[in-house]
Amino acid sequence: MKHVLCLSLALLLAGPVLTGPAAAAETIRYVALVDGGTKAGEQVVRKDDDGTTHVDFIFKDNGRGPELKEEYKLAADGTYSQYKVSGTSTFGAKVDETFSRTGDSAEWKSTSDQGKQSVSGTALYSALGGTPEGFSVAMSALAKRSDGKLPLIPSGTLTVRKVADAEVTRGGEKRAVQLVAMTGVGLTPSFAWSTTGDNPRLFAFIYPGFLQLIEEGWESNAAALETRQKQAEGEVLLGMEQRLAHPLPGTTLIRNARVFDSEKATLGAASDVLIRDGKIVSIANAGGGQTKADNVIEAGGKVLLPGLFDMHAHFGPWDGGLHLAAGITSIRDMGNDNTTLQQLMAQLSEGKLLGPSVVPAGFIEGESKMSARNGFVIKNLDEAKKAVDWYADHGYPQVKIYNSFPKDILRDTAAYAHQRGLRVSGHIPAFMRAQDAVDQGYDEIQHINQVMLNFFVTPETDTRTLERFYLVAKKTAGLDFDSKPVQDFIANLAKKQIVIDPTLATFEFIHQREGELSPIVADVADHLPPDIQRSRRVGEMDIPDDATEALYGKSFDKLVEFVGRMYKAGVPIVAGTDEISGFTLQRELELYVKAGITPAQVLQIATWNGAKYTRTTEDRGSVAVGKRADLVLVDGDPTVDIADIRKVALVIHQGKAYYPSEIDEALGIKPFAEPVRVQTAR
């Protein structure tokens, strides 16, 4: 579903999304490119003689995307005096937001919040549903500030610094541009290319491996700018890894830790665990020996888990800190730009990037107007086989089939992938049912909606549209789970051991109404920056009334119930997210408990099952001698209360110790547990 990438873009669009006063009465056009040059949208910026700027923005990828019309006027200091934006969000929710400032009085209203605020001096309104043109407004307003800081409304402060220069060309024309990093909105910096001079504006916004939004006519420079941006971001990220990673030279002894047995889903007695060179050397009864070590960790009876797996990620370079802070030491990447992912995996293995280990799944899509432009986009069986060959040759353990994949070649493609030793998983291709995909060779299905659509689609239903969300929201509430078709389907999944990757927490958006806090962060909101709390109150689905909300809410509850029924019937479940890193996995595990699975069984799903279905049980997934020392120390007992999974006090990964409290503080998050620090033995 590529939800993470879309949400990452949405967060950037929802923060100070920027473009500023264009030169007098001119129109500036931007094109949005995906897949190395395929047009997927545009932005048109027009400034009237009266100082009003009009912006039309549309972006469509994978059958969805925002359509926005923005209009604003600027005050003398370059901030909004009047602002409004309307249209639809990525999943079809209504966008309707206004802001005005008169003197020291500021007032705003959106579909999810409203407020009034007394403001003294310069301050920029942070739009929830804005377009990328907002980058220009912020850049220009910041250029007027001698201190390099721009207060935000309702809260926060935006800062900017230059991290790279470049020269772009068009014919014989040359232009100097600069890459800037803006902080103060979201959990990580936002990068954008700006023009130079006293009144800078947006030149290009690039999300490496996914999106290139660049001024029209300069598209030939996009690839070079993306390469330079990756290099610049890499330098910043290397510094972050060096600050937050604590190497463990020699031997390290973890004393008095209760070790979770992930194979049996039981919590053992207190033990002493000795590690060396990133691997577990021995496990003994606590205090049973006089083992000496170069470093000592006093666990004090806390629970020691094997590193968690997020089985549905779309890894980006800034995600690593959130993963590690949540105890996630391995992720399965379920669709990415192949070149970008290979580069990120190399940086991780070389210790140049903060983050977990990545197990890649090869993305294969079919060619259509609604294709997701990731991995390989194929037209026929020969091209599909070549894609499988590339993934097999590069060590991928599985492939992921996507929405527009040609259904007529699915059986032969799956058979060929199996021949090459790869597992086959994915969305259900359009005009097919889940049962059809299972019959033709699927080993695994991604997303609970793709499972449930089995009961709702007809041969004419195009699930590449938003119907794949709205059908499930409307119809699941009325589905009889005890009916023979449903029971037969579950039994068949269990018989064939078809793995299900539900990503339940991701689908809580189907019942989240405007103004309500996303359930993913509801229980931890007081740990998050105010702008994150505010952005997470924006609804994504069109829920016009109480009756619709009640219907969609009941449908979601039944999605949770269905996961529980599958698990109890013997269907293998893996824990994935496809949403904001770290926090979503914690919420996902809570929902499994709500589905009737015990906390210990849920932890087994998040550890042992993750290793089993990524084919990595030989070196991870359990706390055992000879395996990787991918370890998580929890200040609480998540085998009793799954909510304790948030209280991560220490993470060990690739021979380094990480303190989640340090990572959280670096990202503007209030820590969840006091760190258990490594002590150098004397």
Side-chain angles (χ1 to χ4, degrees):
M1 189 166 78
K2 221 167 58 177
H3 200 56
V4 166
L5 293 179
C6 291
L7 279 177
S8 298
L9 175 61
L11 276 175
L12 293 174
L13 299 183
V17 271
L18 329 161
T19 231
E26 65 175 330
T27 297
I28 301 174
R29 295 180 178 272
Y30 299 82
V31 291
L33 306 174
V34 296
D35 194 31
T38 302
K39 185 176 179 180
E42 65 179 5
Q43 175 173 274
V44 180
V45 182
R46 174 175 54 86
K47 183 176 180 180
D48 292 342
D49 293 337
D50 67 356
T52 302
T53 298
H54 304 269
V55 186
D56 292 321
F57 176 71
I58 182 172
F59 177 71
K60 296 293 181 184
D61 179 67
N62 187 18
R64 59 174 186 253
E67 296 184 35
L68 302 171
K69 288 186 176 294
E70 193 173 55
E71 181 180 302
Y72 62 82
K73 286 187 176 182
L74 300 178
D77 61 4
T79 63
Y80 297 118
S81 60
Q82 295 180 10
Y83 174 89
K84 66 178 180 179
V85 61
S86 60
T88 55
S89 69
T90 297
F91 292 93
K94 181 181 179 182
V95 175
D96 186 6
E97 183 175 3
T98 58
F99 168 82
S100 64
R101 178 175 175 180
T102 303
D104 290 343
S105 178
E107 186 172 355
W108 67 92
K109 183 178 182 181
S110 71
T111 54
S112 60
D113 74 342
Q114 60 182 332
K116 295 181 179 180
Q117 191 169 308
S118 180
V119 183
S120 178
T122 296
L124 178 68
Y125 176 64
S126 181
L128 284 172
T131 75
E133 180 59 11
F135 279 113
S136 294
V137 175
M139 290 171 183
S140 182
L142 275 162
K144 295 176 170 62
R145 301 281 295 179
S146 60
D147 61 359
K149 298 179 180 180
L150 182 61
L152 297 174
I153 302 171
S155 64
T157 301
L158 189 69
T159 61
V160 65
R161 66 186 180 93
K162 184 178 77 172
V163 294
D165 291 298
E167 183 179 77
V168 293
T169 60
R170 179 176 63 179
E173 183 181 358
K174 296 181 179 181
R175 179 185 290 180
V177 294
Q178 58 186 6
L179 180 66
V180 298
M182 285 170 282
T183 57
V185 174
L187 299 174
T188 58
S190 299
F191 291 85
W193 290 92
S194 79
T195 59
T196 58
D198 295 334
N199 197 32
R201 62 167 176 79
L202 180 68
F203 177 74
F205 168 70
I206 295 174
Y207 191 112
F210 176 43
L211 169 70
Q212 298 167 339
L213 180 73
I214 189 167
E215 190 174 334
E216 189 177 57
W218 300 85
E219 295 94 322
S220 62
N221 297 276
L225 290 180
E226 179 166 336
T227 298
R228 182 67 185 95
Q229 181 171 326
K230 286 181 179 179
Q231 178 186 350
E233 288 193 49
E235 293 167 358
V236 177
L237 288 160
L238 175 59
M240 190 174 181
E241 158 68 14
Q242 292 173 337
R243 289 194 312 273
L244 297 173
H246 303 273
L248 297 173
T251 55
T252 300
L253 180 64
I254 305 173
R255 284 186 181 145
N256 190 25
R258 291 181 293 164
V259 177
F260 178 69
D261 184 336
S262 59
E263 291 188 68
K264 298 178 181 177
T266 58
L267 185 62
S271 302
D272 292 343
V273 180
L274 184 67
I275 63 178
R276 181 194 300 119
D277 298 327
K279 290 191 175 182
I280 299 171
V281 176
S282 67
I283 304 172
N285 293 334
Q290 300 299 317
T291 304
K292 293 183 179 181
D294 300 295
N295 312 292
V296 176
I297 298 167
E298 298 290 356
K302 294 179 174 61
V303 172
L304 187 68
L305 303 171
L308 303 177
F309 279 74
D310 183 340
M311 293 290 280
H312 198 126
H314 296 274
F315 188 61
W318 292 95
D319 298 337
L322 287 172
H323 283 302
L324 288 179
I328 299 165
T329 58
S330 294
I331 63 171
R332 184 174 63 175
D333 187 286
M334 293 304 296
N336 217 315
D337 172 73
N338 290 334
T339 300
T340 298
L341 184 59
Q342 292 292 310
Q343 292 171 345
L344 292 174
M345 290 172 66
Q347 289 176 305
L348 287 166
S349 65
E350 294 165 4
K352 296 180 179 179
L353 181 62
L354 183 72
S357 299
V358 175
V359 179
F363 191 91
I364 309 178
E365 169 71 303
E367 184 63 67
S368 80
K369 292 181 179 180
M370 291 179 281
S371 299
R373 315 302 302 192
N374 264 356
F376 289 95
V377 182
I378 60 91
K379 299 184 182 69
N380 52 50
L381 181 60
D382 183 59
E383 292 182 357
K385 287 183 175 181
K386 289 179 180 177
V388 170
D389 285 338
W390 191 93
Y391 290 128
D393 293 343
H394 284 79
Y396 287 53
Q398 76 179 68
V399 292
K400 176 185 178 183
I401 304 297
Y402 214 61
N403 300 328
S404 289
F405 191 88
K407 66 176 184 177
D408 295 340
I409 64 169
L410 179 60
R411 187 185 301 276
D412 289 340
T413 301
Y416 187 73
H418 289 151
Q419 180 183 325
R420 289 300 315 263
L422 276 62
R423 299 178 66 248
V424 178
S425 69
H427 288 204
I428 307 304
F431 311 112
M432 296 184 72
R433 298 178 307 129
Q435 186 61 60
D436 301 328
V438 169
D439 291 343
Q440 295 187 32
Y442 266 36
D443 303 296
E444 179 177 343
I445 301 172
Q446 266 67 55
H447 304 303
I448 190 62
N449 73 319
Q450 297 289 325
V451 175
M452 301 308 298
L453 285 167
N454 184 76
F455 308 108
F456 307 140
V457 297
T458 69
E460 290 74 40
T461 305
D462 191 345
T463 51
R464 294 170 297 183
T465 68
L466 293 181
E467 278 290 273
R468 67 183 184 270
F469 308 111
Y470 283 93
L471 273 177
V472 172
K474 293 174 181 177
K475 290 181 173 292
T476 305
L479 183 62
D480 181 2
F481 287 174
D482 293 317
S483 64
K484 189 175 187 302
V486 174
Q487 289 295 305
D488 287 349
F489 178 68
I490 293 175
N492 189 53
L493 294 177
K495 179 181 178 180
K496 294 188 174 183
Q497 288 293 282
I498 305 301
V499 178
I500 303 298
D501 169 23
T503 65
L504 273 176
T506 302
F507 282 90
E508 292 202 271
F509 79 85
I510 71 170
H511 69 94
Q512 181 195 350
R513 206 165 179 183
E514 295 283 4
E516 296 177 356
L517 194 58
S518 166
I520 291 172
V521 299
D523 291 339
V524 298
D526 58 344
H527 288 259
L528 302 176
D531 67 293
I532 298 295
Q533 296 181 42
R534 182 174 180 240
S535 69
R536 284 283 164 170
R537 291 185 180 277
V538 177
E540 298 184 65
M541 294 277 281
D542 182 15
I543 304 177
D545 51 43
D546 293 344
T548 304
E549 180 183 25
L551 175 65
Y552 290 6
K554 183 178 180 181
S555 285
F556 180 77
D557 289 342
K558 292 194 70 172
L559 296 180
V560 175
E561 178 189 345
F562 197 82
V563 170
R565 285 187 176 231
M566 287 191 294
Y567 179 85
K568 291 169 186 175
V571 179
I573 304 295
V574 293
T577 58
D578 201 16
E579 235 267 22
I580 185 172
S581 304
F583 295 110
T584 311
L585 185 68
Q586 294 164 348
R587 177 60 178 165
E588 184 81 6
L589 302 186
E590 287 182 323
L591 289 170
Y592 294 171
V593 172
K594 184 179 179 181
I597 307 172
T598 71
Q601 291 169 333
V602 168
L603 292 173
Q604 182 182 54
I605 288 171
T607 54
W608 183 254
N609 280 16
K612 181 177 181 179
Y613 296 109
T614 55
R615 297 176 174 173
T616 57
T617 53
E618 76 285 350
D619 70 356
R620 64 193 102 159
S622 61
V623 181
V625 173
K627 289 196 175 185
R628 286 186 183 190
D630 279 0
L631 302 169
V632 181
L633 195 63
V634 179
D635 189 5
D637 188 351
T639 67
V640 174
D641 183 356
I642 197 63
D644 282 351
I645 198 66
R646 295 190 173 96
K647 301 175 183 177
V648 180
L650 174 69
V651 176
I652 297 176
H653 176 58
Q654 293 190 332
K656 301 173 183 177
Y658 296 90
Y659 306 124
S661 59
E662 289 185 351
I663 297 174
D664 285 339
E665 287 174 349
L667 299 175
I669 300 168
K670 179 183 174 183
F672 293 86
E674 290 294 322
V676 173
R677 296 190 180 276
V678 179
Q679 303 170 22
T680 302
R682 296 180 181 178

